Amino acid sequence: MEKDFEKIFQDKIDQEIKIEPRDWMPEKYRQTLIRQISQHAHSEIVGMLPEGNWITRAPNLRRKAILLAKVQDEAGHGLYLYSAAETLGISRDEMYEQLHSGKAKYSSIFNYPTLTWADIGAIGWLVDGAAIMNQVPLCRTSFGPYARAMVRICKEESFHQRQGFEILLTLSKGTEAQKRMAQDAIDRWWWPSIMMFGPTDDESPNTLQSMQWKIKRFTNDELRQKFIDVCAEQIKVLGLVIPDKDLKWNESTGHYDFGKINWDEFWQVVQGNGPCNKQRLETRKKAWEEGAWVREAANAYAEKRKQRQTVTAA
Amino acid sequence: MDKQALIDYTLQLADNALIIGHRNSEWCGHGPILEQDIAISNIALDYIGQARNFYQYAAALIGNGATEDSLAYLRDAIDFKNCLLTELPNGDWAQTILRQFFFSAYQYFLYQQLQQSTDQQLAAIAEKAFKEVTYHLRWSSEWVIRLGDGTEESRERMLHAIEELWSFTGELFEATTYEQQSVNDGYGVAFQEIQHSWMKKVGLVFEEATLPIPAANIWMQSGGKKGIHTEHLGFILAEMQFLQRAYPGAEW
């Protein structure tokens, strides 16, 4: 019986028919998706913090409005993603609980600090750029609600990326101090950004199953290479340097070769030792705990209203 | 027609929007509920938009190379004309909500009238902003009611917020010389009528929220509209203007 269901399920996937919340699905497929979608949602919410850090210091009114709108978009993305995960039978509060307890992860990139205005540009260009590389294939992912959320998200993300690049472009044409700021931001964000694609394929145990279920469409290394190829060209427009002395065009592979990634750093940050892990999580927990009375009041009021309406109706 | 009064009047509208928008934007990423984080950031965004429209108009009136950014980023506290209410720290969610409600109710009646201004620019900006403020007023009214009539704790916090903020509401309706001039010249809004509407609105919402209206004889703070601020504004500007001050003349 189970076998039949599993066959129908895999047939659907093979025929590119979306899996919907009420369809039968293997428990591991459900769990993988809950993990991935909630991790993605948490990344949007935690990701608001490093950029939010510069909303009150944005250099002019136009930039302020764009940045605020961008960070607000991320809250919106978090909302779509939490909703998509909820269709798999987990509540938003449970997901928050997992984030706060450290059980659920979020993208490690947000454990790095935003030290200058140029970081806002670098995040847009590199971090959002890497995110888009990961996310565009997710618009065709096999689980319907996730795929549909991603279609909306990708539209906004590409706008964010252009904004980030434009910030860097403006800085690169600016004063010496501004150019220095831009180069420094790229120096700090480059390696963490290419680590965003996750461990190399031979170190990524979940990839095979996820590809078979068409949750993932490309491997980590494929996406990373694609991203590096794009950035290696774009940096020329900025007249700045990617901090990798081994980065060079390889005629025979048709790709850029790149230097050794410091996976020790990657795992250290994943395990909680990045520069801002504690700070980010504490900030989220604080917002949640300090908001408890607000949520209680909203529930209590909704309850009172319902009762009054019942009384009036009777 | 007193041009300086028109400039000051416009700047006051711009400064109010910028400063309360700045305060609301501090909530972005820290809200108590994700949907409300989005709502308050959205209100902040509306305000930045309103501020830009008013600053651009003021800059055009001033000339001499003034821009929306030189007005926002290169004036000191003494030249800012926002009401004290808008610069007060956010406090807890109750305090932010109540500040928003008081100010949105004020702006609702102000912009409603300003749409009929003889100054076409002001009228046009007010018309667009009125739609936004109508939503802000609805949103903040609902929250005042929810918190006032929610739990014991939320009610206590609202009472505390009233105590903190009420004395800053008088200034909203206290006409400065340039506001008086704006009425004389026919483009500004007289406060008498809108103060009455404001009191009525606050009364209705407080009643539903089961919250008391403070006594009429409470001393009112003022000064912001004349450039005499609380200590808070200096810090807002220090933060907001940092890049423009540290890298003079740079393009961003």
Side-chain angles (χ1 to χ4, degrees):
Chain A
M1 193 66 179
E2 178 95 343
K3 279 276 166 257
D4 291 346
F5 282 134
E6 203 153 340
K7 186 173 175 326
I8 296 168
F9 171 81
Q10 191 62 48
D11 282 350
K12 271 192 191 163
I13 290 194
D14 294 342
Q15 291 168 52
E16 300 287 334
I17 297 169
K18 293 276 178 264
I19 305 300
E20 295 300 334
R22 288 180 187 184
D23 295 346
W24 185 91
M25 61 185 80
E27 192 48 28
K28 186 144 183 288
Y29 177 84
R30 182 190 302 274
Q31 291 307 328
T32 302
L33 277 167
I34 287 178
R35 181 175 54 80
Q36 186 172 331
I37 301 172
S38 68
Q39 183 171 324
H40 191 165
H42 297 327
S43 300
E44 297 283 355
I45 300 308
V46 178
M48 294 170 75
L49 301 174
E51 290 181 278
N53 190 26
W54 280 89
I55 291 172
T56 54
R57 289 179 292 171
N60 58 41
L61 293 175
R62 179 175 152 261
R63 293 286 184 207
K64 195 193 259 315
I66 292 170
L67 180 58
L68 185 53
K70 181 189 171 186
V71 181
Q72 192 205 19
D73 280 350
E74 278 151 17
H77 298 171
L79 206 52
Y80 310 153
L81 289 163
Y82 284 127
S83 303
E86 280 181 318
T87 66
L88 291 160
I90 184 168
S91 71
R92 209 200 293 178
D93 284 6
E94 283 173 86
M95 289 184 265
Y96 281 146
E97 174 53 40
Q98 293 179 351
L99 171 68
H100 298 157
S101 73
K103 188 185 169 214
K105 299 283 180 216
Y106 54 87
S107 180
S108 267
I109 195 80
F110 301 118
N111 291 317
Y112 290 88
T114 49
L115 304 178
T116 72
W117 171 251
D119 289 31
I120 301 306
I123 288 184
W125 179 44
L126 295 173
V127 176
D128 292 333
I132 291 168
M133 224 34 113
N134 268 325
Q135 290 171 359
V136 167
L138 288 175
C139 297
R140 295 188 296 124
T141 197
S142 57
F143 185 58
Y146 192 23
R148 289 188 289 271
M150 290 317 301
V151 171
R152 295 173 69 177
I153 291 172
C154 283
K155 278 187 196 146
E156 293 176 350
E157 288 293 351
S158 62
F159 176 71
H160 296 170
Q161 197 211 5
R162 281 202 299 277
Q163 289 299 330
F165 190 76
E166 203 238 322
I167 288 176
L168 290 177
L169 190 61
T170 307
L171 294 175
S172 74
K173 290 178 181 162
T175 63
E176 279 311 309
Q178 286 177 306
K179 281 181 210 164
R180 178 173 166 231
M181 207 184 269
Q183 183 62 57
D184 162 70
I186 292 170
D187 289 349
R188 284 181 289 108
W189 289 94
W190 172 253
W191 291 104
S193 297
I194 67 171
M195 292 180 205
M196 278 176 72
F197 297 94
T200 53
D201 293 347
D202 47 0
E203 299 280 333
S204 177
N206 299 325
T207 292
L208 189 65
Q209 179 66 81
S210 282
M211 301 265 296
Q212 203 179 4
W213 280 335
K214 295 188 182 169
I215 296 175
K216 269 174 108 154
R217 297 268 174 174
F218 299 97
T219 70
N220 295 354
D221 285 333
E222 284 169 341
L223 291 169
R224 182 170 12 247
Q225 183 66 58
K226 207 170 153 195
F227 177 69
I228 291 172
D229 289 346
V230 170
C231 292
E233 291 300 319
Q234 288 175 339
I235 193 83
K236 295 176 187 167
V237 182
L238 296 176
L240 297 166
V241 184
I242 285 177
D244 177 359
K245 60 177 170 34
D246 297 320
L247 186 79
K248 66 169 185 292
W249 178 249
N250 183 328
E251 199 64 56
S252 65
T253 59
H255 291 290
Y256 276 86
D257 291 337
F258 55 94
K260 205 168 164 315
I261 294 170
N262 182 353
W263 291 111
D264 275 353
E265 177 181 323
F266 175 78
W267 289 114
Q268 284 299 328
V269 179
V270 169
Q271 283 155 26
N273 297 321
C276 300
N277 293 60
K278 286 201 181 73
Q279 182 187 337
R280 300 285 184 246
L281 208 51
E282 282 309 310
T283 306
R284 282 312 315 161
K285 280 200 261 190
K286 185 165 175 275
W288 181 249
E289 282 158 15
E290 286 180 359
W293 71 269
V294 179
R295 298 188 296 275
E296 279 161 22
N299 290 337
Y301 178 74
E303 195 53 42
K304 278 188 201 175
R305 250 183 93 112
K306 214 164 76 189
Q307 279 175 10
R308 280 177 207 150
Q309 273 163 358
T310 322
V311 172
T312 319
Chain B
M1 163 84 182
D2 180 342
K3 192 176 170 191
Q4 189 56 46
L6 176 59
I7 292 170
D8 288 345
Y9 190 76
T10 308
L11 280 176
Q12 191 249 141
L13 294 166
D15 291 342
N16 271 331
L18 179 65
I19 298 302
I20 196 169
H22 179 100
R23 280 301 192 205
N24 284 345
S25 79
E26 292 172 1
W27 275 104
C28 185
H30 307 273
I33 301 169
L34 188 51
E35 285 82 348
Q36 302 311 323
D37 199 310
I38 295 174
I40 194 133
S41 302
N42 203 40
I43 292 173
L45 206 49
D46 286 343
Y47 276 131
I48 307 300
Q50 289 176 20
R52 292 185 69 185
N53 288 331
F54 285 124
Y55 281 134
Q56 284 165 14
Y57 180 42
L61 292 168
I62 294 166
N64 284 328
T67 65
E68 56 171 12
D69 290 323
S70 71
L71 294 173
Y73 289 86
L74 300 175
R75 285 180 307 145
D76 203 345
I78 195 172
D79 289 320
F80 268 75
K81 297 176 189 357
N82 59 287
C83 300
L84 300 177
L85 181 68
T86 62
E87 71 199 40
L88 298 177
N90 287 339
D92 60 7
W93 186 249
Q95 209 163 311
T96 295
I97 287 297
L98 189 65
R99 180 183 62 199
Q100 193 56 52
F101 170 64
F102 284 158
F103 200 68
S104 294
Y106 162 75
Q107 282 190 313
Y108 178 87
F109 297 113
L110 179 76
Y111 287 163
Q112 195 174 47
Q113 301 287 319
L114 197 61
Q115 294 178 86
Q116 276 89 52
S117 172
T118 54
D119 185 296
Q120 285 183 0
Q121 282 293 334
L122 290 181
I125 301 170
E127 193 184 335
K128 183 174 178 288
F130 181 68
K131 294 192 189 89
E132 297 166 352
V133 166
T134 303
Y135 164 75
H136 304 171
L137 180 58
R138 200 182 68 205
W139 179 84
S140 56
S141 301
E142 285 170 1
W143 269 104
V144 168
I145 294 165
R146 208 173 274 139
L147 297 179
D149 192 20
T151 59
E152 200 47 50
E153 180 176 3
S154 68
R155 183 186 162 74
E156 280 304 315
R157 285 176 184 266
M158 281 309 286
L159 292 173
H160 176 71
I162 295 170
E163 210 175 290
E164 291 290 310
L165 300 181
W166 186 260
S167 62
F168 292 94
T169 57
E171 188 189 17
L172 301 172
F173 308 102
E174 203 179 281
T176 55
T177 343
Y178 56 85
E179 282 166 321
Q180 197 51 58
Q181 191 62 43
S182 77
V183 174
N184 297 346
D185 285 344
Y187 60 84
V189 175
F191 285 134
Q192 214 165 9
E193 195 187 321
I194 70 168
Q195 181 166 23
H196 181 72
S197 309
W198 185 88
M199 267 313 300
K200 210 168 130 192
K201 177 71 187 175
V202 172
L204 283 171
V205 170
F206 271 31
E207 193 188 327
E208 206 180 332
T210 69
L211 292 168
I213 296 275
N217 60 352
I218 285 178
W219 175 256
M220 290 291 175
Q221 302 293 337
S222 69
K225 295 205 275 194
K226 289 183 282 188
I228 302 164
H229 290 274
T230 64
E231 289 179 349
H232 305 295
L233 185 67
F235 289 97
I236 292 179
L237 297 184
E239 188 171 338
M240 187 171 77
Q241 299 178 338
F242 156 65
L243 283 167
Q244 290 281 353
R245 301 288 192 186
Y247 302 95
E251 292 286 329
W252 300 94

